[in-house]
């Protein structure tokens, strides 16, 4: 899985691509935590358009990001969800916590 970051006016955009599974999540979570600590964003946008596969590990990543943004009184939004990851996240009910578009 590849991760790219951009920032502008305390808006952090994270672009994810490739497969999100349990083999890749630990390092990604550490990188995401570090980016949030550096930027202290008021809004986090997670662009998932490039994700080719997601299992329950993707749910864990997004819940962690949701928690971190709550600690900062910020917001999180997930955009560009392909069909397979969208099914995984909606089956878990994540849309009740995080806007999924």
């Amino acid at each position: 899985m590849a991760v790219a970051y951009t920032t502008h006016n305390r808006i952090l955009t994270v672009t994810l691509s490739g497969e999100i599974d349990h083999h890749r999540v630990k390092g990604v979570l550490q990188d995401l935590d570090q980016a949030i600590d550096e930027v202290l964003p008021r809004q986090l946008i997670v662009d998932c358009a490039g994700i080719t596969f997601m299992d329950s590990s993707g749910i864990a990543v997004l819940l962690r990001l949701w928690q971190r943004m709550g600690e900062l009184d910020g917001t999180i939004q997930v955009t560009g969800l392909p069909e397979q990851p969208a099914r995984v996240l909606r089956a878990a009910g994540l849309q009740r916590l995080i806007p999924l578009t």
Side-chain angles (χ1 to χ4, degrees):
M1 170 176 45
V3 181
Y5 308 94
T6 58
T7 62
H8 180 69
N9 291 335
R10 290 189 56 207
I11 298 172
L12 174 60
T13 301
V14 176
T15 304
L16 304 175
S17 60
E19 296 185 3
I20 299 180
D21 58 26
H22 69 280
H23 295 291
R24 296 173 174 90
V25 168
K26 185 177 181 181
V28 168
L29 282 174
Q30 291 171 345
D31 291 346
L32 292 170
D33 277 340
Q34 181 178 352
I36 289 171
D37 289 342
E38 290 175 8
V39 175
L40 297 174
R42 65 174 187 262
Q43 182 179 17
L44 174 62
I45 300 169
V46 183
D47 180 356
C48 296
I51 294 176
T52 57
F53 173 81
M54 179 186 290
D55 64 12
S56 61
S57 300
I59 297 167
V61 168
L62 292 175
L63 284 175
R64 175 68 180 152
L65 294 175
W66 174 76
Q67 178 186 30
R68 289 297 313 274
M69 291 307 295
E71 293 168 358
L72 297 173
D73 291 325
T75 62
I76 181 173
Q77 177 181 359
V78 176
T79 64
L81 274 171
E83 185 178 332
Q84 189 274 332
R87 279 195 317 265
V88 169
L89 299 177
R90 287 192 173 94
L94 212 61
Q95 71 278 7
R96 288 179 256 160
L97 300 175
I98 302 171
L100 305 175
T101 58

